[in-house]
Amino acid sequence: MEKQRKNWGKIIFGVLLFVAFMSGAMPVKAAVKLSETDIVLLLGEGGKDTCSLEVSGAKKGDMILFSSKDEAVAVVDKSGKITAVSPGSTTIICTITDTSGKKTRKKATVRVYDNIKSISLGLKKTKPNALFKNKTYQLSYTCKTAAGANKNTGNYIYYEVLTRKGKTTANAWVELSGKFTAKKCATYIVYAYVFQDEGAYQNWANNREKYKDSILAKDEITLTVTTKNYKKTERKVGNYSINLPEGYEITTQETSKDCTLFLVQVKNSNGYAISNIQVMSDQVDEAEDVELLAAALSSTYTKESLQESWKLAYNAKKATVKNLNMQSSMRGEQEIFKISYELTLKNIVIPTEEGSKIKIDRMDFVNTIYTWYDGKTHRSIVVTDALESLQPNITEVAAQMFEF
């Protein structure tokens, strides 16, 4: 009988407990949680340098307060929005105080990474147009980060090597460490792309167009690989001091008080100049207006006039000019006009001094004209590049001479 009473007592207590729970007399409090507890922010990158924390499980009337242990790394406002300040790590503390005064604390770790915003490529211990095949050279770079530092703090840098015409090649490569090697003489363009991490790079590598915004910064450098030394005995022509590679020579020169003119040429095995740099510097009474210069160039360098003049100059049956382009750029405070175009000559007949004739079926050139006025001096530089296997390429020689 006693045992029966105890069993009934347990049943009645269970029923009362169930009724109390269902009526809300003994509520079960939901756990308070933060939407994120491990946060990575990217300094200076819009959309990724902030994060908003949300609190779940808090009751109406509870007071919520956010704070940062290190506001030099990241700050947080009263709504839970976290903003990156500088590279480093800190803890965001969320304190929830209920109506009875009881406090609950939740924490989130925030890591702030720096970002390279600009990068500039260079080459250690040698000049970019004086490289040798089958030898390794170390690329260098300077950078500026979002935090204002000049040091890479963990960003991923990917190097890519293309030919001068923008095609991929197996003849040259760059290791992740920035070591460049080429097994064939040529002019190469090395690109450096900066990504937040290797994962961002892999996404871009799989779909460059879709993930093009993953590139934080980029730069390029042109490297000329040759079997010959670039520098030769220094030559002085007027105000110019020139170092020329083997095979390049100054064939004509004229200097006077008001004018300097010289021609740098490369000749083929027949003794014919296949590429050249023509430099002319002459005094004018007063500086011309740059707009007048642009107008004069536009009227002089037309496709039709160029084709006709080249056809006559080389006694060619056909001359074709394409990709004619004119643009201006600043070098320091000096505005320089650049005209470039591609030229094809066919069925060329060139008379020699001995009275014979040289016949050439076809020649392809890239011509570039640089011209500007500085004070009282008009300067004009014409680069004719025959696109043959010249090492270094004559365009690279011109760039070396005049820093274009």
Side-chain angles (χ1 to χ4, degrees):
M1 193 72 176
E2 181 67 27
K3 185 177 181 180
Q4 238 179 352
R5 280 200 299 269
K6 287 183 179 179
N7 287 338
W8 276 106
K10 289 179 179 180
I11 292 170
I12 293 169
F13 178 77
V15 171
L16 292 174
L17 184 63
F18 175 76
V19 172
F21 173 76
M22 293 300 291
S23 64
M26 295 181 65
V28 177
K29 188 174 181 180
V32 177
K33 293 182 178 180
L34 295 178
S35 55
E36 295 186 62
T37 57
D38 191 2
I39 301 165
V40 173
L41 299 180
L42 310 181
L43 190 67
E45 190 168 347
K48 296 182 181 180
D49 56 356
T50 62
C51 176
S52 292
L53 277 180
E54 295 181 0
V55 182
S56 61
K59 293 176 63 178
K60 186 177 181 180
D62 288 354
M63 185 172 66
I64 300 173
L65 180 66
F66 293 97
S67 62
S68 171
K69 274 193 172 182
D70 190 348
E71 293 190 341
V73 174
V75 295
V76 60
D77 64 16
K78 61 181 180 181
S79 66
K81 182 180 179 180
I82 306 168
T83 302
V85 176
S86 65
S89 180
T90 187
T91 301
I92 300 299
I93 302 171
C94 176
T95 303
I96 303 98
T97 306
D98 64 19
T99 54
S100 68
K102 183 179 178 182
K103 297 181 183 293
T104 302
R105 289 184 174 85
K106 296 293 177 180
K107 298 179 180 180
T109 299
V110 176
R111 288 170 291 163
V112 177
Y113 293 127
D114 202 354
N115 277 311
I116 290 179
K117 303 304 291 184
S118 66
I119 186 170
S120 179
L121 281 177
L123 196 63
K124 287 186 177 180
K125 297 182 179 180
T126 189
K127 295 190 176 184
N129 52 3
L131 310 187
F132 298 91
K133 65 179 183 179
N134 299 320
K135 185 176 179 180
T136 298
Y137 297 89
Q138 181 65 53
L139 290 169
S140 63
Y141 66 83
T142 56
C143 63
K144 181 70 71 175
T145 71
N150 296 315
K151 185 179 180 181
N152 182 11
T153 55
N155 294 134
Y156 184 87
I157 299 178
Y158 167 72
Y159 297 97
E160 180 177 48
V161 183
L162 300 179
T163 66
R164 192 172 59 143
K165 294 185 177 180
K167 295 182 179 180
T168 57
T169 178
N171 293 324
W173 57 91
V174 179
E175 300 173 20
L176 286 176
S177 60
K179 292 181 178 180
F180 171 83
T181 308
K183 63 181 182 181
K184 185 177 179 181
C185 294
T187 297
Y188 302 97
I189 303 175
V190 177
Y191 295 86
Y193 300 92
V194 182
F195 300 89
Q196 180 60 48
D197 49 39
E198 188 174 358
Y201 156 70
Q202 292 293 348
N203 289 335
W204 173 80
N206 293 330
N207 192 328
R208 291 196 175 196
E209 181 60 30
K210 181 178 180 180
Y211 294 99
K212 60 184 179 181
D213 292 338
S214 297
I215 300 173
L216 301 176
K218 62 182 179 180
D219 193 29
E220 65 184 72
I221 186 172
T222 300
L223 303 179
T224 299
V225 179
T226 179
T227 57
K228 298 179 179 180
N229 288 325
Y230 178 81
K231 285 192 173 183
K232 199 179 178 182
T233 304
E234 185 176 280
R235 295 287 301 274
K236 186 83 172 177
V237 182
N239 294 324
Y240 294 97
S241 294
I242 306 163
N243 286 303
L244 294 176
E246 294 179 11
Y248 289 71
E249 60 184 50
I250 296 177
T251 57
T252 61
Q253 67 179 53
E254 176 187 339
T255 59
S256 64
K257 180 180 179 181
D258 298 327
C259 179
T260 300
L261 171 67
F262 62 92
L263 191 67
V264 179
Q265 292 186 326
V266 184
K267 297 180 180 180
N268 61 16
S269 58
N270 295 324
Y272 178 69
I274 55 176
S275 291
N276 64 69
I277 305 170
Q278 177 181 296
V279 181
M280 182 179 69
S281 173
D282 60 276
Q283 295 290 108
V284 294
D285 292 336
E286 59 184 65
E288 296 284 348
D289 183 86
V290 292
E291 297 298 331
L292 179 61
L293 176 60
L297 292 175
S298 299
S299 62
T300 304
Y301 291 97
T302 65
K303 182 178 179 180
E304 292 73 18
S305 65
L306 287 168
Q307 288 178 162
E308 187 61 27
S309 62
W310 279 108
K311 184 178 176 180
L312 292 172
Y314 278 78
N315 194 23
K317 188 173 182 180
K318 186 177 181 180
T320 304
V321 169
K322 60 180 180 179
N323 296 328
L324 177 60
N325 181 50
M326 183 180 299
Q327 62 186 39
S328 65
S329 61
M330 300 301 295
R331 188 181 70 177
E333 298 181 355
Q334 180 63 56
E335 185 172 11
I336 298 174
F337 287 93
K338 175 184 175 183
I339 304 99
S340 60
Y341 58 93
E342 297 175 20
L343 170 68
T344 298
L345 297 174
K346 293 183 178 179
N347 299 325
I348 303 165
V349 179
I350 302 175
T352 66
E353 293 180 359
E354 294 79 15
S356 60
K357 294 180 179 179
I358 299 175
K359 294 183 178 180
I360 304 173
D361 292 333
R362 173 173 175 156
M363 292 186 72
D364 293 282
F365 298 90
V366 171
N367 288 312
T368 309
I369 301 99
Y370 302 94
T371 184
W372 70 95
Y373 289 98
D374 59 348
K376 292 185 177 181
T377 304
H378 168 240
R379 301 185 189 275
S380 178
I381 297 168
V382 182
V383 181
T384 302
D385 183 358
L387 295 181
E388 296 195 16
S389 299
L390 306 175
Q391 302 298 335
N393 178 272
I394 200 162
T395 304
E396 306 296 334
V397 177
Q400 174 72 13
M401 287 166 59
F402 303 103
E403 300 181 354
F404 288 125

